[in-house]
Amino acid sequence: MGDENNPKKPHVLIFPYPAQGHINPILQFAKRLLSKGVKAALVTTVFLSNSSFSDPSSTSIDIHTISDGFDQGGYEQAGSSDAYLATFWSVGPNSLAALIKKLGETGHPVDAFVYDGFLPWALDVAKQFGIPSAVFFTQSCAVNSVYYHISKGLLQLPLPVPHVSLPGLPPLQVSELPSFVALYGSYPAWFDVVVNQFSNIDGADWVFFNIFYDLEKEVVDWMSRFWNVMTVGPTIPSMYLDKRIENDKDYGMNLLKPNVDACMSWLGGKPKDSVLYVSFGSFASLGIEQTTELACALKSSNVYFLWVVRETEMAKLPYNFIEETSEKGLVVAWCPQLEVLSNEAVGCFLTHCGFNSTLEALSLGVPMLAMPQWTDQPTNARHVEDVWRIGIRAHPNEKGVVRRETIERCIKELLTEVGEKGKEIRKNSIKWKNLAKKGIDEGGNSDKNIDKFIAKLL
Ligand SMILES: O=c1ccn([C@@H]2O[C@H](COP(=O)(O)OP(=O)(O)O[C@H]3O[C@H](CO)[C@@H](O)[C@H](O)[C@H]3O)[C@@H](O)[C@H]2O)c(=O)[nH]1
């Protein structure tokens, strides 16, 4: 779909929730649209736009800003999730409306609006302007089905039974449900965010999921009975999948700066499938006891490991850990995760199962050792182990801590003494990698859905 057939490019305004795990997939979706001849523009907060785009010009995506009420310091300035969400929810709608109005008045009217499911008020704003809108979910269909059932009162909380069976999903034990549900009352502000995603969804013209159809087809089919559901993922830079968008290797925005040279030169020359990559994403925070158990497991397993420990978490490492393990391990504050996962030295990913990390590992064929922490991660981990069969879960004890022996056993199974189960997991990982590529490649289900969306705008 090129310019010559399409003199007036449709202008799509895209609005992710301002956090790494949301901006990455939605920005990547914007790049897909751009590659197909759409004028894609991103809305982010004043604070993030000043601090975080590695090179906005490299993406050719216009960046617009609105206020979340914390222009100087963003989330940190707010001090708590409750304070951040309350202020953003009260300041955001007017700020977004002012932006859409300004774009219209300056000759850049918005033809379609794509908003993050976390921000349902954005749909109400777009509707005031009569703009066709799509909601974009950055978490799995399964997890969102759970939240949908709660929003409709079809799942009572606290749960009266030890497991739930929902259409298109495997039976889920309480501990395999999203933490906001399993530990009802644990984070009320976030619980409201995830459940309220469905408050006005019937008004959305399209419902986008960052998956490919084969990944969750039963639940996609079930949800398609209510809404115009379109799978549009995995939204991972094209160079790691279909390679149809030139130089598309980076998400283009980092809240934290990756230590690229240190990671890549350390990985260089390590034997194939010899390195355990360890990361818990941008948000999760391990307790000191859990950090110690993990550190001891890494040390006694005697494997090569690359561990991302964010600056704010560093003090939890055991005394002298970095020095004592320097022959086998590298600890960095942030890494170029896609480059790391696609390096052939990496044989396993010890992950919190954030949905982006899960999709990235799946799309790059890297088996996962799942250590979910909270939110959607327990449900993702269940799928990794039992539905897609591309990893194993390291289960916590009754105190909620995964002991070093458990982690060591999983590392053996997946990396150092790969047995029958480990081999099966490797085989499945390659199968899913191929299916992910097929989904977004030319003519794949996600690719066709993106084309259908664009065709509606022309
Ligand atoms: O050193 C690192 C570590 C991570 N990443 C990237 O950061 C993103 C992390 O996303 P994700 O794995 O989803 O984790 P979170 O940042 O924790 O994401 C939040 O948002 C996700 C989407 O809603 C949820 O699935 C998670 O549970 C929630 O914690 C991924 O794209 C990674 O490639 C890096 O680039 N470098």
Side-chain angles (χ1 to χ4, degrees):
M1 205 171 297
D3 259 348
E4 60 285 0
N5 306 323
N6 177 17
K8 184 194 172 291
K9 293 181 176 188
H11 182 199
V12 181
L13 192 64
I14 303 182
F15 183 27
Y17 178 84
Q20 189 81 67
H22 291 244
I23 294 172
N24 280 3
I26 295 184
L27 178 60
Q28 203 52 39
F29 176 69
K31 288 200 244 163
R32 282 272 162 198
L33 293 181
L34 191 81
S35 76
K36 289 173 179 281
V38 167
K39 179 175 160 58
L42 199 81
V43 183
T44 189
T45 61
V46 173
F47 172 69
L48 287 192
S49 135
N50 289 338
S51 55
S52 308
F53 281 87
S54 39
D55 181 9
S57 62
S58 70
T59 67
S60 322
I61 287 177
D62 291 344
I63 309 288
H64 301 292
T65 56
I66 64 163
S67 181
D68 55 5
F70 299 101
D71 296 351
Q72 308 309 317
Y75 188 81
E76 296 302 320
Q77 188 190 349
S80 73
S81 300
D82 290 11
Y84 183 75
L85 294 169
T87 304
F88 190 15
W89 264 227
S90 83
V91 171
N94 283 342
S95 193
L96 177 64
L99 170 67
I100 294 177
K101 187 159 174 277
K102 188 184 87 192
L103 288 170
E105 288 168 354
T106 52
H108 305 287
V110 177
D111 298 308
F113 183 61
V114 179
Y115 71 97
D116 192 312
F118 274 23
L119 307 167
W121 47 262
L123 173 63
D124 301 334
V125 173
K127 289 211 151 264
Q128 285 165 26
F129 292 87
I131 301 170
S133 299
V135 55
F136 189 114
F137 286 102
T138 61
Q139 300 185 354
S140 75
C141 238
V143 162
N144 281 296
S145 172
V146 174
Y147 296 147
Y148 170 75
H149 279 83
I150 294 167
S151 78
K152 288 282 173 198
L154 301 169
L155 204 55
Q156 298 295 334
L157 294 179
L159 287 168
V161 285
H163 66 264
V164 296
S165 292
L166 300 178
L169 300 189
L172 295 168
Q173 304 292 328
V174 171
S175 63
E176 295 164 347
L177 288 162
S179 68
F180 306 138
V181 179
L183 305 169
Y184 181 49
S186 54
Y187 288 90
W190 283 116
F191 177 85
D192 287 347
V193 168
V194 294
V195 172
N196 286 339
Q197 297 184 102
F198 300 94
S199 56
N200 57 359
I201 192 170
D202 292 343
D205 300 278
W206 301 270
V207 175
F208 293 157
F209 279 99
N210 180 19
I211 53 166
F212 50 100
Y213 177 70
D214 285 326
L215 195 65
E216 298 193 271
K217 54 180 150 203
E218 291 83 6
V219 62
V220 171
D221 287 345
W222 182 77
M223 282 192 171
S224 299
R225 291 162 32 181
F226 315 120
W227 313 303
N228 185 15
V229 174
M230 290 194 172
T231 53
V232 296
T235 60
I236 288 172
S238 173
M239 292 314 282
Y240 297 98
L241 286 167
D242 55 313
K243 302 190 169 52
R244 287 187 294 155
I245 310 179
E246 241 174 78
N247 296 325
D248 184 32
K249 280 199 82 166
D250 186 354
Y251 284 114
M253 184 215 169
N254 283 302
L255 301 190
L256 300 162
K257 299 283 164 259
N259 200 336
V260 180
D261 293 343
C263 294
M264 300 324 288
S265 62
W266 183 85
L267 278 175
K270 299 267 184 306
K272 186 169 183 307
D273 291 337
S274 68
V275 174
L276 178 70
Y277 167 55
V278 185
S279 164
F280 291 84
S282 65
F283 218 75
S285 169
L286 301 189
I288 294 215
E289 192 182 354
Q290 184 63 82
T291 308
T292 305
E293 290 301 306
L294 174 54
C296 291
L298 295 178
K299 195 168 164 187
S300 54
S301 291
N302 201 29
V303 280
Y304 288 121
F305 66 87
L306 169 52
W307 187 3
V308 175
V309 182
R310 298 192 315 275
E311 214 53 69
T312 47
E313 301 286 294
M314 280 289 180
K316 294 179 190 168
L317 287 176
Y319 176 69
N320 250 353
F321 174 78
I322 294 183
E323 294 73 14
E324 284 171 11
T325 55
S326 61
E327 290 210 350
K328 283 290 193 169
L330 178 69
V331 176
V332 292
W334 198 246
C335 81
Q337 181 160 303
L338 286 162
E339 270 189 74
V340 167
L341 286 174
S342 62
N343 189 298
E344 66 168 20
V346 173
C348 178
F349 180 13
L350 193 164
T351 172
H352 68 317
C353 291
F355 197 54
N356 298 292
S357 291
T358 304
L359 269 183
E360 290 164 11
L362 181 144
S363 303
L364 293 165
V366 181
M368 281 172 263
L369 198 176
M371 266 181 67
Q373 300 299 306
W374 72 317
T375 172
D376 57 336
Q377 297 152 21
T379 316
N380 299 338
R382 163 81 150 99
H383 279 68
V384 163
E385 183 174 66
D386 296 325
V387 179
W388 307 316
R389 304 170 77 82
I390 51 177
I392 46 184
R393 281 178 290 180
H395 291 280
N397 64 8
E398 63 293 340
K399 279 169 64 199
V401 175
V402 184
R403 308 257 43 135
R404 64 191 75 176
E405 300 79 20
T406 309
I407 303 173
E408 282 168 33
R409 208 172 39 245
C410 295
I411 294 176
K412 272 192 188 149
E413 182 67 57
L414 287 172
L415 202 61
T416 51
E417 296 175 18
V418 181
E420 278 316 305
K421 190 167 179 192
K423 283 187 193 142
E424 189 64 35
I425 287 171
R426 275 196 185 279
K427 223 167 91 194
N428 287 334
S429 300
I430 301 301
K431 177 187 101 181
W432 282 108
K433 172 183 169 165
N434 292 334
L435 286 170
K437 175 172 179 288
K438 194 169 148 221
I440 196 68
D441 212 346
E442 188 157 10
N445 194 278
S446 298
D447 186 57
K448 280 201 227 155
N449 284 337
I450 298 171
D451 285 345
K452 266 194 235 165
F453 167 64
I454 296 172
K456 281 278 180 202
L457 308 180
L458 294 175

